[in-house]
């Protein structure tokens, strides 16, 4: 079983280049099958979730050409959109974004039969808003036995849809289905995350007519069909935020390249509250920290608020500050599973309801840890890099789902991290083995 071995204590220094946004890529790859013409997509992050979705898309008959590590050409012409179409394989059940295939297939073929989505266990994560949206457009949706969603319609008609809760997934899925519906659809109380805008921009390059993405009212005027296109995905806001928190926790000096500073505002302002220096340039951000840092308060909110996907990483950095920080999670009900692992490193964290009270400590100490989900895994890596001594982190498959070449990027910044699946190598690392010997 692969795990990270990390020797903490190095202040990270240098440049890191951010990859394409995972949560935009997942919506865009699903949308790409909505035309029978070829679509070329660039800056696709090389992470397990995008590879899984591409496999699922191939499994239903689309052709996928892997032009290079970050560029694919997709053609949906080979998909047989009849009632025989079923998206199900062991992979698709693992990723949340499989639900985007419902909106894409329902929009294009007026029929979709997809296994219920999986994804990180950070809360109940129902899809009732997605279903309500599809039904309002005129579809019949059935949660069939065996954990499948079957949606069908003779036609989809534009409608007014109000989302009771701000949902990224429901906003994108309804946008997909409404793109090829008849007439106008209005999505109110829509999510405003950068990836929503990126998916809408991609659909518009294929000939869709979507306005207002990035605001809480999105207007979609249905079109008869979509055409081929070329598109490049935006940088990953959360990967960038993760490296910013890492630079601060290790008291480093890092230039984060290929970012959109506007997307980072909520994260940058919290790091500045802690006493870090954050300097913005056109497409990169320098983050520096040294010495004592201050405690602060963080509450997760939909964009442009502080992203829930940065909550754990921020908590890890706040463990090494002066004072008591409060971290409140308002989006998901089970997103503090990393707390017990940080406590093993000597962190002092008290959980009360959906708030973690973090008493800053002068140091953390390396330990054997287990990741419980994608962002929790990233948080443990940050804590281990800032700690004294050696840590090992298991279940890194979670991290590989959403971070491209995470260990290699950290090593390029001077972090002492390897991936190993052998106990003897871990022991050697603990005894001070250098990291030059590295797995591809
Ligand atoms: C997306 O998940 C992201 N995943 C998550 O990132 C992210 O944490 C989340 O948005 C919030 O920003 C992808 O993009 C693949 P939601 P999603 O629908 O769409 C409730 C990561 O680490 N809700 O915005 O599942 C829901 O329970 C992942 O990259 C309903 O009640 O999130 C939650 O409390 C983890 N009914 C809230 O809305 C619904 O039908 C927000 O969820 C849908 C959602």
């Amino acid at each position: 079983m692969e795990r990270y071995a990390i020797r903490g204590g190095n202040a990270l220094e240098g440049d890191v280049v951010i990859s394409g946004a995972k949560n935009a890529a997942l919506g865009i790859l699903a949308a790409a099958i909505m035309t029978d013409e070829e679509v070329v997509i660039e800056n696709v992050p090389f992470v397990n979730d995008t590879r899984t979705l591409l496999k699922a898309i191939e499994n239903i008959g689309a052709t996928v050409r892997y032009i290079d590590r970050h560029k694919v050409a997709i053609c949906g012409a080979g998909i047989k959109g009849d009632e025989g179409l079923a998206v199900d394989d062991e992979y698709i059940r693992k990723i949340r974004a499989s639900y985007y295939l419902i909106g894409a297939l329902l929009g294009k073929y007026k029929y979709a039969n997809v296994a219920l989505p999986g994804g990180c266990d950070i809360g109940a994560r129902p899809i009732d808003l997605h279903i309500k949206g599809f039904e309002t457009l005129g579809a019949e949706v059935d949660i069939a036995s065996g954990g499948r969603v079957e949606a069908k319609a003779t036609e989809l008609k534009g409608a007014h849809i109000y989302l009771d809760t701000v949902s990224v997934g429901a906003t994108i899925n309804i946008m997909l289905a409404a793109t090829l519906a008849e007439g106008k659809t209005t999505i109110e109380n829509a999510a405003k995350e950068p990836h929503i805008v990126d998916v809408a921009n991609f659909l518009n390059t294929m000939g869709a007519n979507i306005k207002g993405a990035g605001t809480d009212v999105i207007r979609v005027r249905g079109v008869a069909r979509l055409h081929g296109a070329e598109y490049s995905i935006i940088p990953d806001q959360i990967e960038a935020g993760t490296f910013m928190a890492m630079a601060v926790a290790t008291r480093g000096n890092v230039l984060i390249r290929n970012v959109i500073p506007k997307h980072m505002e909520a994260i940058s302002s919290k790091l500045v509250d802690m006493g870090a220096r954050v300097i913005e340039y056109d497409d990169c951000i320098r983050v520096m920290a040294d010495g004592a840092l201050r405690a602060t308060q963080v509450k997760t909110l939909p964009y442009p608020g502080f992203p829930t996907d940065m909550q754990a990483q921020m908590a890890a950095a706040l463990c090494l500050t002066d004072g008591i920080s409060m971290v409140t999670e308002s989006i998901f009900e089970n997103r503090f599973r990393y707390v017990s692992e940080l406590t093993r490193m000597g962190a002092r964290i008290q959980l009360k309801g959906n708030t973690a009270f973090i008493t800053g400590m002068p140091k953390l100490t390396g330990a054997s840890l287990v990741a419980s989900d994608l962002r929790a895994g990233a948080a443990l890596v940050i804590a281990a890099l800032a700690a004294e001594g050696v840590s090992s982190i298991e279940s890194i498959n979670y991290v590989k789902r959403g971070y491209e070449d995470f260990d290699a990027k950290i090593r390029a910044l001077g972090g002492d991290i390897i991936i190993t699946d052998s106990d003897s190598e871990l022991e050697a690392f603990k005894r001070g083995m250098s990291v030059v010997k590295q797995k591809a």
Side-chain angles (χ1 to χ4, degrees):
M1 176 200 42
E2 283 194 327
R3 64 207 139 174
Y4 290 130
I6 298 173
R7 180 176 292 104
N10 296 355
L12 298 192
E13 294 199 349
D15 296 13
V16 60
V17 179
I18 298 303
S19 302
K22 169 186 77 83
N23 290 344
L26 296 169
I28 287 170
L29 295 175
I33 65 172
M34 296 178 72
T35 173
D36 283 345
E37 295 174 23
E38 186 170 77
V39 173
V40 176
I41 303 166
E42 291 184 17
N43 205 29
V44 178
F46 194 89
V47 294
N48 289 358
D49 275 13
T50 55
R51 307 327 278 189
T52 301
L53 188 57
L54 284 165
K55 277 206 200 89
I57 288 171
E58 280 181 294
N59 276 351
I60 56 174
T63 53
V64 177
R65 270 188 313 116
Y66 296 85
I67 298 168
D68 66 33
R69 221 162 172 254
H70 301 114
K71 190 172 179 179
V72 291
I74 296 174
C75 182
I79 299 174
K80 304 261 168 307
D82 56 29
E83 302 240 345
L85 175 69
V87 185
D88 184 12
D89 57 40
E90 68 196 87
Y91 301 105
I92 207 69
R93 287 175 185 268
K94 286 201 191 114
I95 63 168
R96 184 99 195 130
S98 59
Y99 55 29
Y100 290 141
L101 292 174
I102 306 172
L105 293 168
L106 180 63
K108 186 179 181 191
Y109 301 105
K110 311 299 176 273
Y111 182 77
N113 185 332
V114 178
L116 270 173
C120 290
D121 177 13
I122 54 178
R125 309 189 77 180
I127 59 167
D128 56 313
L129 298 175
H130 302 235
I131 293 171
K132 183 180 154 205
F134 298 145
E135 288 174 340
T136 313
L137 292 171
E140 268 173 56
V141 184
D142 181 30
I143 304 275
S145 58
R148 313 178 58 74
V149 179
E150 187 180 41
K152 54 186 170 192
T154 43
E155 61 173 353
L156 292 177
K157 272 198 178 323
H160 182 274
I161 298 168
Y162 180 85
L163 295 178
D164 305 333
T165 308
V166 174
S167 158
V168 168
T171 300
I172 290 178
N173 234 341
I174 294 167
M175 213 162 59
L176 294 176
T179 291
L180 293 171
E182 267 188 56
K184 204 175 87 176
T185 296
T186 305
I187 308 172
E188 268 207 66
N189 198 28
K192 300 183 277 218
E193 270 69 5
H195 25 289
I196 308 264
V197 178
D198 210 28
V199 174
N201 289 345
F202 170 65
L203 285 164
N204 284 341
T205 64
M206 293 205 294
N209 183 340
I210 302 172
K211 298 200 171 47
T215 76
D216 54 9
V217 181
I218 296 177
R219 298 177 204 288
V220 184
R221 186 169 291 286
V223 296
R225 53 181 290 282
L226 298 173
H227 52 70
E230 291 209 10
Y231 194 81
S232 185
I233 295 170
I234 57 171
D236 196 310
Q237 175 207 25
I238 304 300
E239 184 196 10
T242 301
F243 277 100
M244 291 168 76
M246 201 185 279
V248 170
T250 62
R251 305 299 190 264
N253 178 345
V254 175
L255 184 65
I256 319 246
R257 295 205 286 128
N258 188 31
V259 297
I260 299 173
K262 175 98 188 115
H263 295 169
M264 310 311 298
E265 282 174 356
I267 300 164
S268 301
S269 87
K270 279 298 155 195
L271 295 174
V272 169
D273 289 354
M274 289 170 69
R277 287 187 60 208
V278 176
I279 306 167
E280 287 184 1
Y281 302 94
D282 291 348
D283 63 354
C284 52
I285 293 180
R286 180 171 293 285
V287 180
M288 294 172 280
D290 55 23
L293 292 177
R294 295 183 294 272
T296 188
Q297 298 190 11
V298 174
K299 180 173 184 183
T300 65
L301 290 166
Y303 189 85
F306 189 91
T308 173
D309 294 347
M310 272 299 299
Q311 184 254 95
Q313 300 93 309
M314 201 62 184
L318 288 168
C319 290
L320 293 162
T321 60
D322 293 345
I324 299 180
S325 300
M326 281 167 58
V327 175
T328 301
E329 174 57 53
S330 76
I331 310 280
F332 291 107
E333 60 280 13
N334 185 20
R335 206 157 203 185
F336 286 118
R337 295 166 66 199
Y338 61 88
V339 168
S340 55
E341 297 304 295
L342 290 182
T343 307
R344 298 159 60 79
M345 304 178 79
R348 279 181 55 199
I349 308 177
Q350 245 195 326
L351 282 178
K352 285 198 186 120
N354 64 345
T355 298
F357 294 84
I358 304 173
T359 305
M361 304 291 287
K363 71 179 178 99
L364 294 176
T365 309
S368 305
L369 309 164
V370 182
S372 54
D373 59 69
L374 166 61
R375 308 305 173 181
L380 298 184
V381 170
I382 291 175
L385 288 166
E388 279 179 13
V390 171
S391 300
S392 64
I393 303 177
E394 290 174 21
S395 303
I396 64 170
N397 50 309
Y398 284 120
V399 179
K400 289 184 167 187
R401 291 189 46 194
Y403 290 93
E404 178 177 324
D405 301 339
F406 202 39
D407 56 310
K409 289 186 180 184
I410 294 168
R411 262 193 312 283
L413 294 171
D416 203 347
I417 178 172
I418 61 167
I419 293 182
T420 177
D421 54 9
S422 94
D423 292 344
S424 58
E425 198 174 50
L426 178 59
E427 287 319 308
F429 182 85
K430 284 183 179 163
R431 288 196 306 278
M433 173 194 91
S434 78
V435 298
V436 282
K437 178 194 152 320
Q438 185 45 67
K439 288 205 170 354

